[in-house]
Amino acid sequence: MTVRIEPADPVRSPGFFGEVSGIDLRRDLTDAEVAEVAAGMDRFAVLRFRDQDIDDAQQLAFARHFGPLEQATGDIVQGADRRLPMDVNDISNLDRDGRVMARDDRKRLFSLGNMLWHTDSSFKPTPAKYSALSARVIPDRGGNTEFADMRAAWDALDAETQALVRDLVAEHSQIFSRGTLGFTDFTEEERARWVPVPQRLVRRHPVTGRLSLYLASHAGAIRGWPTPEARMLLRDLIEHATQPRFVFVHSWRPHDLVMWDNRVTMHRARRYPADQVRDLRRVTVADCAPTLEQAA
Ligand code: OGA
Ligand code: MN
């Protein structure tokens, strides 16, 4: 098979969201296929692989080709209460017995944070590079995932704003993002695990050299700035970056796998009927170092 990668929507989104065909993720990839996918990630930032009926082991094997995997230490459910192993993020509304969670379930309320614009694991000292999300069961309506192109968002800023934000360092924590939803009942252990970490606000892609904004709802402070001024700027930048012209809306089919480059994108989940099952699983490739240790 020959790997082909083309824009999913050549008119609205020619260089951001790619559609991959001619690849079977149930089988181990060849070196040539890995290189094609990596090049596609650098060119587009998000890739969709349709009709990939894979299990967790196949998803893990696929992602490992792109670097060491993260552990799901950002999930609120840890230890024996987890439904899935520590190298798989549980992006579902199911409890460990496979039932749709109760409305007031703590895990469910925490998971609603995925509906805020974010980039994965920016609340960890070394954040995520790639996320690979596989759809196993999807609701009959709603539940899209939206992606924002943070390279295009940077390019579209005026020069004065670019100069203002170019060297800023933000602090990211899941305590901030959940706090904006009124979710505040964290344990001492969770507060310690999710202390704010510094991240550059503007990053340079190591392969393409392109600059991009690096933002998330996890960002609640800017080093050296008064808090209200920092939060207002962050809010303003997120609003800028998520205008429809920078956003691609992905509508799930069962067995879709979507992989995105967290260094240059944000994403969010959309609402869906609370009584329906939505079971997606995410495997995450770690970045190489904290953003402050990477070339600006
Ligand atoms: C994720 C995530 C969004 C969604 O998997 O990291 O934010 O639509 N998912 O479930
Ligand atoms: Mn996410």
Side-chain angles (χ1 to χ4, degrees):
M1 282 201 282
T2 334
V3 180
R4 288 169 60 89
I5 309 182
E6 277 152 12
D9 182 344
V11 176
R12 284 208 66 241
S13 188
F16 179 45
F17 194 102
E19 193 89 68
V20 185
S21 55
I23 198 163
D24 181 350
L25 303 187
R26 290 172 305 184
R27 283 200 274 277
D28 197 28
L29 301 194
T30 64
D31 291 346
E33 287 172 327
V34 173
E36 297 261 19
V37 171
M41 289 296 290
D42 290 340
R43 175 168 161 221
F44 286 97
V46 192
L47 295 179
R48 178 166 65 198
F49 306 71
R50 288 216 128 129
D51 304 314
Q52 304 291 339
D53 187 0
I54 52 170
D55 59 22
D56 292 353
Q58 290 161 335
Q59 187 176 349
L60 285 160
F62 166 70
R64 280 196 193 101
H65 283 294
F66 303 99
L69 301 186
E70 271 190 3
Q71 298 291 297
T73 53
D75 282 5
I76 201 152
V77 179
Q78 295 288 318
D81 292 336
R82 287 184 63 79
R83 190 173 70 102
L84 302 173
M86 273 304 278
D87 43 14
V88 182
N89 278 82
D90 190 357
I91 311 295
S92 80
N93 58 349
L94 303 174
D95 64 21
R96 60 161 298 168
D97 302 318
R99 282 186 298 252
V100 172
M101 287 182 285
R103 188 160 187 192
D104 63 351
D105 189 299
R106 189 164 184 267
K107 174 185 178 235
R108 173 176 180 272
L109 298 177
F110 181 82
S111 302
L112 294 179
N114 275 344
M115 298 171 74
L116 299 168
W117 284 108
H118 67 282
T119 179
D120 289 331
S121 301
S122 68
F123 53 85
K124 295 183 182 180
T126 293
K129 178 184 174 195
Y130 294 164
S131 293
L133 186 59
S134 160
R136 309 297 171 81
V137 182
I138 56 165
D140 68 18
R141 58 193 188 279
N144 289 344
T145 306
E146 298 182 346
F147 295 91
D149 185 346
M150 304 302 279
R151 307 162 304 181
W154 164 264
D155 291 343
L157 286 176
D158 60 76
E160 188 182 344
T161 309
Q162 287 185 340
L164 176 73
V165 304
R166 183 71 179 85
D167 297 315
L168 294 180
V169 176
E171 292 187 350
H172 294 234
S173 168
Q174 297 211 97
I175 311 285
F176 288 137
S177 48
R178 270 54 187 189
T180 66
L181 296 180
F183 184 109
T184 51
D185 74 328
F186 291 101
T187 63
E188 284 313 308
E189 190 275 326
E190 287 162 352
R191 284 180 199 283
R193 180 148 42 102
W194 295 326
V195 290
V197 300
Q199 304 291 2
R200 274 188 210 290
L201 212 145
V202 180
R203 301 184 65 173
R204 186 182 291 284
H205 192 283
V207 177
T208 66
R210 279 187 80 177
L211 295 178
S212 59
L213 285 169
Y214 190 63
L215 295 165
S217 303
H218 306 308
I222 294 173
R223 287 205 168 159
W225 280 45
T227 300
E229 194 176 358
R231 293 204 184 170
M232 197 58 246
L233 176 65
L234 292 164
R235 197 185 272 220
D236 200 37
L237 292 171
I238 289 178
E239 200 173 300
H240 162 78
T242 57
Q243 296 174 74
R245 63 186 163 130
F246 305 130
V247 170
F248 184 92
V249 177
H250 163 62
S251 182
W252 291 97
R253 292 188 205 157
H255 311 314
D256 280 348
L257 180 129
V258 176
M259 182 156 78
W260 60 88
D261 186 338
N262 285 290
R263 299 170 298 185
V264 297
T265 58
M266 284 199 297
H267 60 279
R268 67 170 176 181
R270 302 314 308 270
R271 215 151 35 77
Y272 59 97
D275 58 343
Q276 292 195 24
V277 176
R278 185 176 190 261
D279 185 359
L280 285 75
R281 304 188 184 191
R282 195 186 89 210
V283 165
T284 317
V285 179
D287 203 352
C288 57
T291 55
L292 283 173
E293 292 171 23
Q294 297 183 37

